[in-house]
Amino acid sequence: MSWADCIGSFHEVHQYGHLVGFRPNYVAGYRKYAVREIDRLQQRWEKMYYEAGCPAAIPNGTEGLPEAIAALRKRVEAEKPSFDEWVGMGKEIKRLDTWLNRARAVLAPLVLQKERESGNDRVAPQWGLALASPMEPACSKDRPVQTLVVPKVARITAARGESEPLHIVVIPGEKAYPDLLELSHSPLRGSQGTIPCANMRWYRLGGQCDLLQRTNVLRVDPGGPMGLWWVVDVPDNAAPGVYRGELRIGYWDHACSSLPVELTVRDFALPRQPSLAVSVGLDSAQVAHVWYHDRTGGLNAREYWPFAEELLRHRLTPRELLADFTRWTDDAPDFSAAEEMLTRAELEGVRPDALIAARPDQLVAMAQPARSLAQALRHWRRPTGTDLLPTYARPGDRLPEGLLPWQLERSIASLDDATPTGVLSPAAEMLGTWALCPAAVTRLSEHYSGVPLDRTDLADAAAMHEKNLVWRLTQAGDVESVSLRTAADDYRPIEARMLGWLAYDYRVKRVFLEGSGTSAGVEARPAASGLLYYVEGSARGTPAIVPPAPSVRLELLREGLEDYEYLHMLSQLQRRLRNIHGAQKYTRLYRENSVVQPRSGAPHAVA
């Protein structure tokens, strides 16, 4: 391969792949390719321009676009451009493609206005609906979305039991004025049944680019695009096939802008209980401290459940779900309130082995902590059918004395990445499993992970102390590619999405999330790993009983965990079909799929 093969240009490898050390200027071939690409750009522009009714140039939208295409054509028609000039033209073609995507979104309201009838009883809409990548949560004026497209139909695909989002951008027209718009959607109807509107919901991207606020109205801002998220939850019993519906935005008594939606439901279901145990720190006392203005004592079940439900719906397990609702006494713990919480959580598909039986500060208060902890573990073994984790100690937590060896061995100690080798907390010395950042667990190199090599010495220290290792992720300080950072300037959505991929790639079975939560308008405090936003009270200081708002990273984290389920099911099928080859493979694949994902009868339509 030549050095030129590594440079973005118009060449093809077979033309001069045998040449090494210099860059030939294949003018005839490059010009032919460039002219073809420019003709394609010109056709895209003319099509959208005439569909919109040949409007005047729109600043920051279409202004200067036809001139830029004409200027590029002149560069291509030069007598003999240099090789570097061809490379520059290739980059310009990519830039113009992105510009055309945005121009199509800007012209969307004019296209709709021309297509719809105008009259006394109908008012043409002044907004266009475009789609953007979920990896681009922000759509502010100073940070325009780069992936805007305006499809005729929004097509999505999902398995039964899966949730799928659409990142929608509302483009105000020139005549739009500030007002409240209604967000609505029709049921998704297919030949085998209907997915009701109750399975769909709208979110507005809040002032912080990562915040999603549940709503069915939108205040128009004529100054720039506005971001929305629309999510559909596919029922577990939905029949496979194609479902069609429509998303609408407009005034209550006027015509709407609409976007058709086509959902394809696959012929298999994701397991209700997650295959990957992801444990999230949701400390009831910390949530109360943030949500109720420094109130102590924790949350009651009614207050706590919206936080737990939001996490469970995203395939995450709130770690302290049972520990915080057990009434701890020296004689016999009372589990009645915790049992009610477990009953609720089981309906959402909780992963029991991601729960802990007690927090360290609860055990310290016990006269006989080992006996109380053993009672709790025996009690929960019956309803869950599995062994809960005895306890999870964060850095700085104090552990009680007298815990039994098997309780210590099965408990988790979270270690700070910066802990120097040989200087360990008492919890780290005592407990049998360490939760470390992925860089330490996998012993990645400094060049690959961006984490100083001395932190990976923790893995060597764990081996020396005969400790098991699991993954721990925080809001900052982890491997660049898998940290879930809170700051909007540093956060990259791909970091949340790829957690499921990396967990599968490294055969990880358990992940612990912890860190700083974020309240709208207040400083960050520890709770729920920063995946939820907590609503502040009124100006008078009274608490607002409002469900917590999810974040974009929480939605993308669920997407990554659903990807993990796909990969996990495929690996199961691969093991079953390891010795099968040839034409029998498809038949066996279909047969074994019904074994991996057993059905409770034939799928039927959703009412």
Side-chain angles (χ1 to χ4, degrees), residues 252-274:
W252 282 263
D253 55 349
H254 288 75
C256 301
S257 295
S258 62
L259 178 64
V261 177
E262 185 177 285
L263 168 66
T264 301
V265 178
R266 296 189 175 102
D267 190 17
F268 62 90
L270 297 187
R272 189 162 187 80
Q273 187 181 95

Side-chain angles (χ1 to χ4, degrees), residues 543-563:
I545 310 301
V546 180
S551 60
V552 171
R553 78 195 68 191
L554 181 57
E555 293 288 334
L556 294 178
L557 182 57
R558 178 182 57 193
E559 289 288 295
L561 297 179
E562 289 173 342
D563 292 343

Side-chain angles (χ1 to χ4, degrees), residues 99 115 180 283 288 381 400 412 470 542 548 551 585:
W99 192 348
E115 290 179 351
L180 284 178
D283 190 333
R381 183 67 176 82
I412 310 293
V470 294
T542 58
S551 60
K585 196 159 191 175

Side-chain angles (χ1 to χ4, degrees), residues 156-174:
I156 51 179
T157 305
R160 299 197 299 273
E162 187 175 1
S163 298
E164 277 298 311
L166 284 177
H167 181 192
I168 300 169
V169 179
V170 180
I171 309 294
E174 292 182 344

Side-chain angles (χ1 to χ4, degrees), residues 378-440:
R378 284 197 302 269
H379 176 84
W380 294 121
R381 183 67 176 82
R382 291 190 298 271
T384 64
T386 188
D387 293 321
L388 270 62
L389 296 172
T391 191
Y392 178 90
R394 294 174 294 190
D397 283 349
R398 177 188 167 197
L399 278 182
E401 298 179 359
L403 292 185
L404 301 176
W406 65 271
Q407 295 173 337
L408 296 172
E409 182 65 26
R410 293 187 51 244
S411 297
I412 310 293
S414 175
L415 269 67
D416 186 3
D417 301 341
T419 301
T421 303
V423 182
L424 301 174
S425 65
E429 292 278 7
M430 297 170 61
L431 301 186
T433 301
W434 287 1
L436 303 177
C437 72

Side-chain angles (χ1 to χ4, degrees), residues 291-308:
W291 206 31
Y292 284 99
H293 306 277
D294 301 334
R295 192 185 80 181
T296 59
L299 304 175
N300 59 41
R302 178 181 60 86
E303 298 165 346
Y304 182 93
W305 179 247
F307 294 89

